[in-house]
């Protein structure tokens, strides 16, 4: 495997669909199946200390990652500010674990399943196992998805059609803010300035800036798909049994 030398240390460069990538994807699928098939058993357990522990671990990973960037002189305003979609999802995950707010769940369910899932399949990543960047990337992205699914399957949260509207409004409020930041720091947060250099879904959505409009339409379509599969079934008119946390 190709290697890159940094500060006299040897690090393997991450390659998509390499052995390390496949192992992570298999672990992710295994954990997802366990979460689904044992959801009723897991519902009987006391999860509050674990929820807080996962939230703190995500915050620790985020802080550690930025400390590493600073210590390695890699931190740069053009690409290190945590305003990527997955970074936003990470903070939503932490807030949801700590507060249990329904609206945070609604935002996270869609951003995690649509954003973090795509990131797991086509990672924008340089360093392979066992670099800290490798652990940070996969741990945080997997936890975003698992936490959203945990609140759905184990805790009984469910999206509604209004949830689709809420996440669409939320992202379109964030979008112009990120665009302004991109202009100020010459960045490419959320890939709003240009497509990533590695293969991704954006390659099929047209040239810049038209792929942004394509993403808007795709976001709406896929959000409806997520709502359809995760909506409350057989209980029409009932938003959610814990609506008091909205």
């Amino acid at each position: 495997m190709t290697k890159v030398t940094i500060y006299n240390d040897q690090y393997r460069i991450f390659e998509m669909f390499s052995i390390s990538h496949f192992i992570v994807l298999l672990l992710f699928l295994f954990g997802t199946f366990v979460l689904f098939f044992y959801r009723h058993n897991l519902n009987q357990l006391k999860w509050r200390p674990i929820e807080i522990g996962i939230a703190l671990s995500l915050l620790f990973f985020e802080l550690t990652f930025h400390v590493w960037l600073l210590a390695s002189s890699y931190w740069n305003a053009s690409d290190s500010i945590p305003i990527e979609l997955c970074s936003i999802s990470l903070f939503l995950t932490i807030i949801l674990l700590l507060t249990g707010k329904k609206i945070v769940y609604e935002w996270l369910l869609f951003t995690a399943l649509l954003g973090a899932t795509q990131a797991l399949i086509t990672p924008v990543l340089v360093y392979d196992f066992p670099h800290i960047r490798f652990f940070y990337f996969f741990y945080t992205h997997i936890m975003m998805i698992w936490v959203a699914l945990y609140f759905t399957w184990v805790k009984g949260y469910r999206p509604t059609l209004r949830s689709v509207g809420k996440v669409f409004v939320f992202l379109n409020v964030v979008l112009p803010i990120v665009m302004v930041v991109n202009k100020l720091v010459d960045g490419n947060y959320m890939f709003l300035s240009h497509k990533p250099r590695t293969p991704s879904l954006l390659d099929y959505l047209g040239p810049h800036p038209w792929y942004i409009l394509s993403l808007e339409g795709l976001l709406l379509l896929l959000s409806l798909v997520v709502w359809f599969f995760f909506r409350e079934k057989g209980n029409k008119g009932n938003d959610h049994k814990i609506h008091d946390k909205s």
Side-chain angles (χ1 to χ4, degrees):
M1 185 176 289
T2 307
K3 291 188 177 183
V4 60
T5 303
I6 300 177
Y7 297 112
N8 298 319
D9 291 321
Q10 296 292 322
Y11 297 111
R12 289 191 296 270
I13 293 180
F14 178 81
E15 295 179 5
M16 191 165 23
F17 304 130
S18 60
I19 293 177
S20 61
H21 190 193
F22 271 119
I23 290 174
V24 168
L25 291 177
L26 287 174
L27 289 173
F28 165 70
L29 290 175
F30 175 76
T32 302
F33 283 130
V34 169
L35 196 59
F36 178 75
F37 287 111
Y38 291 93
R39 60 192 183 279
H40 299 303
N41 304 78
L42 294 173
N43 189 39
Q44 307 303 317
L45 303 177
K46 299 298 182 181
W47 282 95
R48 190 57 186 154
I50 298 176
E51 291 171 3
I52 296 174
I54 293 174
L56 293 177
S57 73
L58 289 171
L59 185 59
F60 171 79
F61 263 93
E62 181 69 13
L63 293 174
T64 301
F65 173 59
H66 284 278
V67 168
W68 172 77
L69 287 174
L70 289 167
S72 305
S73 301
Y74 291 157
W75 201 98
N76 192 300
S78 64
D79 58 19
S80 302
I81 303 173
I83 55 173
E84 296 282 7
L85 181 59
C86 286
S87 296
I88 293 171
S89 296
L90 173 61
F91 290 115
L92 290 176
T93 304
I94 294 171
I95 295 170
L96 178 59
L97 285 167
L98 294 178
T99 68
K101 291 292 185 180
K102 176 74 184 301
I103 191 169
V104 179
Y105 160 79
E106 292 172 312
W107 291 338
L108 177 64
L109 179 68
F110 295 99
T111 59
L113 294 186
L114 299 180
T117 302
Q118 193 266 340
L120 281 180
I121 298 172
T122 59
V124 180
L125 184 62
V126 174
Y127 298 105
D128 201 354
F129 177 89
H131 196 273
I132 184 176
R133 184 72 176 90
F134 178 91
F135 287 106
Y136 165 80
F137 182 90
F138 285 112
Y139 178 76
T140 55
H141 283 80
I142 287 174
M143 278 302 164
M144 294 173 206
I145 302 170
W146 279 355
V147 167
L149 294 177
Y150 160 73
F151 271 82
T152 303
W153 292 335
V154 177
K155 303 203 73 170
Y157 286 57
R158 286 292 186 272
T160 66
L161 270 177
R162 286 186 298 171
S163 303
V164 176
K166 289 176 184 177
V167 74
F168 196 76
V169 170
F170 171 72
L171 291 177
N172 277 278
V173 168
V174 171
L175 201 69
I177 298 173
V178 176
M179 285 181 169
V180 170
V181 174
N182 280 338
K183 287 290 185 182
L184 293 174
V185 300
D186 191 26
N188 189 32
Y189 294 106
M190 291 192 180
F191 302 120
L192 295 178
S193 299
H194 57 79
K195 297 179 184 180
R197 294 178 177 83
T198 54
S200 73
L201 177 64
L202 301 184
D203 294 332
Y204 303 96
L205 299 181
H208 183 275
W210 303 111
Y211 69 80
I212 299 175
L213 294 178
S214 299
L215 274 175
E216 291 271 8
L218 187 62
L219 167 67
L220 185 58
L221 175 62
L222 293 179
S223 294
L224 288 171
V225 172
V226 170
W227 161 77
F228 180 80
F229 281 104
F230 290 92
R231 74 192 190 283
E232 187 75 51
K233 299 176 180 66
N235 195 13
K236 296 180 180 179
N238 185 20
D239 185 5
H240 189 265
K241 64 182 179 181
I242 53 171
H243 56 274
D244 58 320
K245 289 191 176 183
S246 297

